[in-house]
Amino acid sequence: MSQTSVPGQGANAHTATDATAAAQRAAELRIELARHNRAYYEDDAPLIPDAEYDRLFGELVALENDFPELQRPDSPTQRVGGKPVEGFAPVVHRVPMLSLNNGFADEDVEAFDRRVSDGLRDVNGVNGASGAGSAGGVGGVGGAGGVNTTPNSTGDLFGTPVEYAAELKFDGLAIALRYEQGVLVQAATRGDGTTGEDVTANIRTIKKIPLKLDTDNPPDVLEVRGEVLMFRADFDKLNQAQEAAGEKVFVNPRNAAAGSLRQLDSRITAKRPLSFFAYGIGELIGATMPETHSALLDWYVTLGIPVNERREVVKGADGLLKFYREVGEARASLPYDIDGVVYKVNRRDEQDRLGFVSRAPRFALAHKFPAQEALTTLLDIEVQVGRTGAITPVARLAPVFVGGATVTNATLHNEDEIRRKDVMIGDTVIVRRAGDVIPEVVGSVLDRRPADARAFVMPTACPVCGSAIEKLPDEAIARCTGGLICAAQRKQALLHFAQRRALDIEGLGDKLVEQLVDQQIIRTPADLFKLGVAKLAALDRMADKSASNLVAALEKARHTTLARFIFALGIRHVGEATAKDLARHFGKLDNLIAVCKRDSDLTELLAVPDVGPIVAESINNFFCEDHNVEVIEQLRAAGVTWPESEPAAAAPLPLAGKTFVLTGTLPTLSRDEAKAMLEALGAKVAGSVSAKTDYVVAGAEAGSKLAKAEALGVPVLDEDAMRAMLAAL
DNA sequence: GATCCTCGAGTTCC
DNA sequence: CTCGAGGATC
């Protein structure tokens, strides 16, 4: 700290000899410290007293301060981050971090095993399975004894069970660690799977995670994936310390780990006893991918990356279930929390062949332990009014600790659900956290039902506005008919308008909306933009600072996109995805409004993907309400803007809204080519003929579809006629 | 007409 | 996360 030394300018405070000596000493210290770290954390046998460790550590810090050119990202000193950072930078995962399919019952595991074997057999076709040979057993796999040998004859396919890597499913946080040339350069949270947060500074403080891989020949890039967690004993100690210091205690190890990783000041994280286990891989450049998952983890071990020892290679559903039972029995005695086990097809080539369904790999299954359940008393059932007027009964429970959190509320969804579960007010009920998050009432304990238990009665009038509650015969949900008369619905509409995926008005939460609506300061979203600092500051829990923050947030929210704006309007059945479709299709809001004003002609709306008759009707109704159009005008007048794309709708695709069905073999076009041609012009190509079909394009050997088209009087074209028609557009 | 899939809506706790 | 509804597909 005494002086600022300028690297590369030896003429300053330090001579060249100084620098050389310092570099040498720093290197010695790093090796020494790394050795002690290993002894302390991995062998659990410290070689020197803590104070001595601290002294060596301090010496290295001082050296690095005096000679900044000695600072390296893999130095032990980098484990304790410097100064707090502003938030966390986003990190886009080059290979997405997917979630796993879940199973709870033995049947789920058997079904998984069946899907996998079938999948491998199908893709394989006549080539036969290339699964690991029947001999060799568990241990032999990682060795990958030679190149994939000749496929077995197809005869024993059914008898060859698939080989799986089975491991624990830790209750922590998924993290991706990026090593470049063997040095840890970045650590990111899973986030939404596509984009996570950069928590490198915090991860560096976890002593079990090597800053440098233990190899002379590291891959150019290795992205290790695994779980950050906190051991129970560490968690207990941490909580004792927190309590003693008057700080808040954590409810469970997972939360403690999450809270620690989310510290902006990594010096705090450094004091938290976090651990890590690797279980997967993202990017790998400059090294050969091991042939099996188990071999990958073996490799990790040699690199000094912590891998949990409780893992096995097993065969078939029987092997999986055996592993599950053994782990289940050991669960309570494990030093950390797990919420289940994970099975992965062991061979990578088989994994690749199985591929993915939507967002989860087909080759893996998370087999979870039954959700923790607890008993408590159902104190009351109240109803809530949602944005669309949906009346939702909510269970008020005597607080009960279940699955790592205290639960006091749980949704009961609707009347049918209450009847199905047979719960009455006063009952002792079983509560669990579905998927370990959302509290759920499983059912009631009938022999503990008190004599004075009351059945829930759906109110006939809205508890908020008094309007009638109506339940359509074929719907499960009862709704308040009050619409925007109902304060509850207005509040929800405003919250929806302000939510992140809509206009993203930061700081406009439920408490504030509650006040604004109750005191009749605002009625519609447009009124929000008329708020001034003075008016806001008069509210509870709203000083000048928060008030001006909100005004600033409103200012920021004025600039948005058409898709967000349409979504924000809260049109029934129009969520984020449909709003995007509408924005893309119409380009300008006025085009959409204009279409709706032309009395109830829904064809243009139906041309939008994923808009069917019900959604079209709902959109049309919305824009036919003068009130709604008025609010939109007010919003625009208040300066809410978005870039409008060029009149996409001025030249709408000529076949928009038309449905075609292809049948038979066309003379020159393949099915896919014909489909692409039609779709490029906005047509929908459906699979079967119905009254909604506009044209059937028939080729040779057309069968029942052609017959049906004729029966329904749907025009039938051949390929030439279709080409002529497209050319004429 | 049945079934699969996606989207919307509602919800909890920290 | 879960359920139900709507749309698309077979």
Side-chain angles (χ1 to χ4, degrees):
Chain A
M1 282 303 196
S2 46
Q3 69 264 314
T4 43
S5 62
V6 182
Q9 297 210 355
N12 259 352
H14 307 293
T15 66
T17 353
D18 274 343
T20 319
Q24 206 169 352
R25 179 62 183 151
E28 285 169 22
L29 286 169
R30 284 194 193 112
I31 293 166
E32 183 79 350
L33 288 167
R35 192 163 67 89
H36 292 310
N37 267 340
R38 219 172 302 128
Y40 186 86
Y41 286 99
E42 287 171 34
D43 306 330
D44 211 16
L47 306 169
I48 52 170
D50 288 356
E52 175 64 6
Y53 179 90
D54 289 345
R55 196 189 62 73
L56 295 171
F57 194 88
E59 189 183 342
L60 181 56
V61 171
L63 274 174
E64 288 183 349
N65 270 339
D66 286 349
F67 297 90
E69 68 271 30
L70 293 180
Q71 283 176 10
R72 298 208 326 236
D74 62 336
S75 168
T77 58
Q78 294 302 304
R79 292 187 183 280
V80 183
K83 42 196 182 267
V85 288
E86 280 291 316
F88 299 97
V91 174
V92 176
H93 298 298
R94 292 173 214 211
V95 181
M97 293 180 82
L98 302 160
S99 47
L100 297 182
N101 286 320
N102 287 326
F104 288 93
D106 288 5
E107 292 81 55
D108 297 336
V109 177
E110 282 152 10
F112 165 68
D113 179 50
R114 215 166 24 242
R115 277 199 309 275
V116 166
S117 338
D118 290 352
L120 290 174
R121 199 159 38 234
D122 283 354
V123 179
N124 239 11
V126 287
N127 292 326
S130 65
S134 47
V138 167
V141 178
V147 190
N148 221 357
T149 42
T150 335
N152 293 331
S153 70
T154 46
D156 63 353
L157 273 180
F158 281 84
T160 309
V162 179
E163 188 178 74
Y164 296 99
E167 51 196 68
L168 305 183
K169 186 174 190 315
F170 304 101
D171 199 6
L173 292 101
I175 292 287
L177 307 172
R178 190 175 178 83
Y179 289 88
E180 288 179 8
Q181 312 302 337
V183 176
L184 177 66
V185 293
Q186 188 177 62
T189 61
R190 178 176 177 278
D192 62 6
T194 312
T195 310
E197 289 178 322
D198 187 329
V199 289
T200 314
N202 288 340
I203 289 293
R204 278 194 212 282
T205 69
I206 302 176
K207 299 207 172 69
K208 284 192 184 167
I209 295 180
L211 297 172
K212 196 167 181 298
L213 298 178
D214 193 4
T215 173
D216 292 328
N217 185 22
D220 297 322
V221 174
L222 168 62
E223 189 190 320
V224 177
R225 293 190 174 166
E227 198 94 345
V228 166
L229 68 157
M230 195 177 286
F231 279 49
R232 280 194 211 123
D234 291 329
F235 166 75
D236 290 340
K237 252 187 275 171
L238 172 65
N239 261 356
Q240 280 166 25
Q242 291 282 107
E243 199 165 6
E247 303 267 15
K248 68 157 195 172
V249 295
F250 293 98
V251 65
N252 58 32
R254 209 203 92 87
N255 283 8
S260 304
L261 259 202
R262 292 204 49 85
Q263 289 295 326
L264 287 177
D265 182 351
S266 58
R267 284 171 299 190
I268 297 177
T269 314
K271 291 184 192 136
R272 302 281 173 78
L274 294 169
S275 295
F276 176 84
F277 287 121
Y279 57 62
I281 188 162
E283 221 179 357
L284 177 65
I285 300 174
T288 318
M289 184 71 80
E291 284 191 35
T292 62
H293 183 71
S294 51
L296 171 71
L297 298 187
D298 292 342
W299 182 43
Y300 279 174
V301 172
T302 70
L303 295 175
I305 299 166
V307 174
N308 190 270
E309 285 180 20
R310 190 150 197 139
R311 59 194 173 98
E312 274 179 48
V313 175
V314 300
K315 290 191 176 190
D318 291 350
L320 297 176
L321 290 171
K322 181 161 170 280
F323 180 79
Y324 177 76
R325 288 201 185 96
E326 286 166 357
V327 172
E329 277 168 29
R331 183 183 185 188
S333 60
L334 293 173
Y336 37 71
D337 288 347
I338 57 173
D339 48 8
V341 296
V342 176
Y343 314 132
K344 292 173 190 158
V345 171
N346 199 27
R347 297 194 56 86
R348 284 205 71 98
D349 54 357
E350 293 182 347
Q351 291 186 3
D352 292 342
R353 272 169 28 214
L354 287 164
F356 299 83
V357 218
S358 60
R359 281 174 50 217
R362 247 190 289 251
F363 57 78
L365 181 75
H367 190 180
K368 293 201 172 174
F369 294 122
Q372 275 188 46
E373 296 184 340
L375 293 182
T376 189
T377 309
L378 178 59
L379 302 175
D380 200 0
I381 297 178
E382 294 172 10
V383 296
Q384 289 180 355
V385 185
R387 173 167 64 84
T388 62
I391 303 289
T392 312
V394 179
R396 305 289 175 209
L397 305 164
V400 60
F401 192 80
V402 51
T406 304
V407 169
T408 52
N409 301 309
T411 177
L412 289 165
H413 296 114
N414 55 53
E415 231 179 331
D416 295 347
E417 186 88 354
I418 296 175
R419 200 164 309 122
R420 203 177 317 139
K421 289 177 174 168
D422 187 16
V423 291
M424 290 170 79
I425 299 161
D427 272 354
T428 298
V429 290
I430 305 159
V431 174
R432 75 166 166 221
R433 301 228 292 157
D436 274 343
V437 180
I438 311 268
E440 178 189 20
V441 174
V442 182
S444 59
V445 184
L446 290 181
D447 35 321
R448 286 219 218 155
R449 173 166 289 169
D452 60 351
R454 287 182 291 132
F456 168 75
V457 182
M458 182 61 85
T460 52
C462 172
V464 176
C465 69
S467 302
I469 287 176
E470 192 176 64
K471 182 165 167 303
L472 298 177
D474 51 350
E475 283 197 344
I477 295 165
R479 292 177 194 279
C480 159
T481 53
L484 291 179
I485 293 171
C486 182
Q489 292 187 49
R490 283 206 307 279
K491 286 173 191 169
Q492 294 300 319
L494 284 162
L495 285 169
H496 173 81
F497 185 85
Q499 71 152 285
R500 195 170 46 80
R501 279 155 34 230
L503 282 232
D504 193 16
I505 304 173
E506 250 177 275
L508 188 69
D510 52 357
K511 292 283 176 293
L512 190 51
V513 166
E514 186 98 344
Q515 289 190 64
L516 289 168
V517 172
D518 286 346
Q519 299 178 27
Q520 310 201 347
I521 298 169
I522 60 173
R523 247 189 108 73
T524 70
D527 297 336
L528 278 172
F529 291 94
K530 298 170 190 156
L531 292 170
V533 176
K535 225 177 208 174
L536 283 167
L539 297 170
D540 274 359
R541 301 184 48 81
M542 245 297 155
D544 287 357
K545 177 77 175 156
S546 341
S548 51
N549 279 351
L550 181 61
V551 172
L554 282 164
E555 182 53 43
K556 207 167 112 193
R558 281 191 166 93
H559 301 279
T560 183
T561 65
L562 180 55
R564 276 171 176 266
F565 186 79
I566 293 174
F567 174 57
L569 293 174
I571 304 165
R572 191 105 109 84
H573 299 126
V574 176
E576 218 184 348
T578 311
K580 276 183 193 156
D581 286 337
L582 289 168
R584 204 175 306 131
H585 185 89
F586 289 97
K588 297 188 174 186
L589 184 62
D590 287 328
N591 293 336
L592 174 59
I593 298 174
V595 162
C596 295
K597 286 277 173 180
R598 279 208 302 274
D599 35 15
S600 62
D601 177 18
L602 300 181
T603 38
E604 173 99 33
L605 284 169
L606 290 168
V608 179
D610 295 321
V611 173
I614 308 246
V615 179
E617 180 77 34
S618 165
I619 297 168
N620 192 64
N621 286 344
F622 182 90
F623 288 107
C624 283
E625 287 281 340
D626 289 337
H627 166 78
N628 290 329
V629 179
E630 217 168 278
V631 171
I632 290 169
E633 287 316 321
Q634 287 175 28
L635 284 165
R636 288 209 266 211
V640 176
T641 61
W642 54 85
E644 294 206 300
S645 49
E646 266 324 284
L653 292 167
L655 292 180
K658 300 292 180 199
T659 302
F660 283 68
V661 173
L662 301 172
T663 182
T665 312
L666 300 177
T668 68
L669 291 171
S670 76
R671 238 193 100 83
D672 283 344
E673 284 167 336
K675 189 174 177 208
M677 276 174 70
L678 291 164
E679 281 175 344
L681 293 166
K684 254 188 299 210
V685 178
S688 63
V689 181
S690 73
K692 290 195 317 183
T693 310
D694 296 292
Y695 297 98
V696 167
V697 181
E701 290 167 85
S704 62
K705 290 192 218 177
L706 177 58
K708 184 159 184 197
E710 281 164 350
L712 288 168
V714 175
V716 178
L717 310 173
D718 62 12
E719 184 182 316
D720 284 346
M722 182 189 95
R723 284 176 181 280
M725 181 174 139
L726 300 192
L729 289 169

